[in-house]
Amino acid sequence: GNSVTQMEGPVTLSEEAFLTINCTYTATGYPSLFWYVQYPGEGLQLLLKATKADDKGSNKGFEATYRKETTSFHLEKGSVQVSDSAVYFCAPGWDNQGGKLIFGQGTELSVKP
Amino acid sequence: GAVVSQHPSRVICKSGTSVKIECRSLDFQATTMFWYRQFPKKSLMLMATSNEGSKATYEQGVEKDKFLINHASLTLSTLTVTSAHPEDSSFYICSAGDPGAYNEQFFGPGTRLTVL
């Protein structure tokens, strides 16, 4: 079946530190890969996506590369800010299934000034 | 971006009652919507796929008679938690795929259900 494993949180970093949140998946077919973010008290928002192998998604300084050979989609940011504090979710998704997503358990990030 | 709304945002009910949650796509038509349950440790569990004009598809382990889903129009899906019990207390989130954007999912703000 389809599943996602994310790095366990919470992750606590100081401002301007380097961030990596690991994500590996097992999936049937050829899904697109997504990172969603949930800020405190808000709904989920798309952070970035990659639709095929070796694609790199990027947004707001975050990046992730679709690695088919290692079935991974690790999220990175070179210098985090306090405003990046949120819960991050990795998810494969299938366009041909109406955009169905399967989520990882989420990784809570807390950035201290 | 596209907007998805949910109503109510918060509901408290007595054990044994039924609760209906609405999910609406406000500026696009969605043939497919999804319902998730978010647990306290933040993970989202996909409950079911709501298909406009046909029966919902439930994930393994989700009771279809417990969680009734109706997708009567291209902009509205409803989730009814029947005979709710305290263990049904949770945060329920819907999403809708915009066919004009490769079915990119847009999420509602969620509904907090508390069953007393």
Side-chain angles (χ1 to χ4, degrees):
Chain A
N2 303 312
S3 66
V4 180
T5 301
Q6 280 184 237
M7 188 167 117
E8 279 198 32
V11 173
T12 302
L13 296 173
S14 298
E15 206 165 22
E16 299 184 3
F18 184 85
L19 168 71
T20 299
I21 300 178
N22 291 336
C23 170
T24 57
Y25 64 92
T26 56
T28 56
Y30 300 97
S32 298
L33 299 176
F34 301 84
W35 276 100
Y36 281 83
V37 58
Q38 188 175 32
Y39 297 103
E42 298 185 16
L44 271 77
Q45 303 173 28
L46 177 64
L47 179 61
L48 56 82
K49 68 179 181 181
T51 58
K52 60 183 187 296
D54 300 325
D55 269 4
K56 178 186 284 187
S58 61
N59 185 28
K60 298 182 181 179
F62 291 89
E63 293 183 340
T65 301
Y66 191 142
R67 300 289 187 197
K68 187 178 177 182
E69 64 278 10
T70 55
T71 61
S72 64
F73 193 53
H74 305 321
L75 182 68
E76 295 183 337
K77 185 172 186 180
S79 176
V80 294
Q81 305 300 312
V82 172
S83 57
D84 294 327
S85 298
V87 182
Y88 293 81
F89 295 92
C90 180
W94 290 264
D95 294 346
N96 60 357
Q97 296 182 40
K100 178 178 178 177
L101 295 163
I102 299 296
F103 284 92
Q105 72 268 35
T107 302
E108 183 175 6
L109 170 67
S110 178
V111 181
K112 306 297 184 186
Chain B
V3 179
V4 175
S5 69
Q6 274 184 249
H7 178 80
S9 58
R10 186 181 296 269
V11 57
I12 300 173
C13 69
K14 293 182 179 179
S15 188
T17 60
S18 295
V19 174
K20 180 185 284 188
I21 303 170
E22 293 185 349
C23 177
R24 293 181 185 272
S25 56
L26 298 186
D27 48 7
F28 65 98
Q29 294 184 327
T31 54
T32 306
M33 294 183 176
F34 298 90
W35 286 96
Y36 297 85
R37 185 171 175 176
Q38 188 170 25
F39 292 94
K41 288 188 175 182
K42 311 295 184 181
S43 64
L44 276 83
M45 182 192 78
L46 177 64
M47 298 174 67
T49 303
S50 174
N51 304 298
E52 188 270 334
S54 64
K55 291 183 179 179
T57 304
Y58 290 83
E59 296 297 305
Q60 191 172 7
V62 178
E63 299 176 61
K64 61 181 180 181
D65 295 330
K66 173 76 170 175
F67 299 100
L68 299 179
I69 291 172
N70 184 273
H71 194 150
S73 77
L74 288 171
T75 59
L76 173 64
S77 174
T78 60
L79 168 67
T80 301
V81 183
T82 62
S83 187
H85 289 93
E87 59 265 30
D88 299 323
S89 298
S90 193
F91 196 56
Y92 293 88
I93 300 174
C94 72
S95 72
D98 184 350
Y102 300 98
N103 283 320
E104 178 180 329
Q105 294 297 300
F106 296 92
F107 286 81
T111 297
R112 171 72 60 191
L113 170 63
T114 302
V115 185
L116 302 177

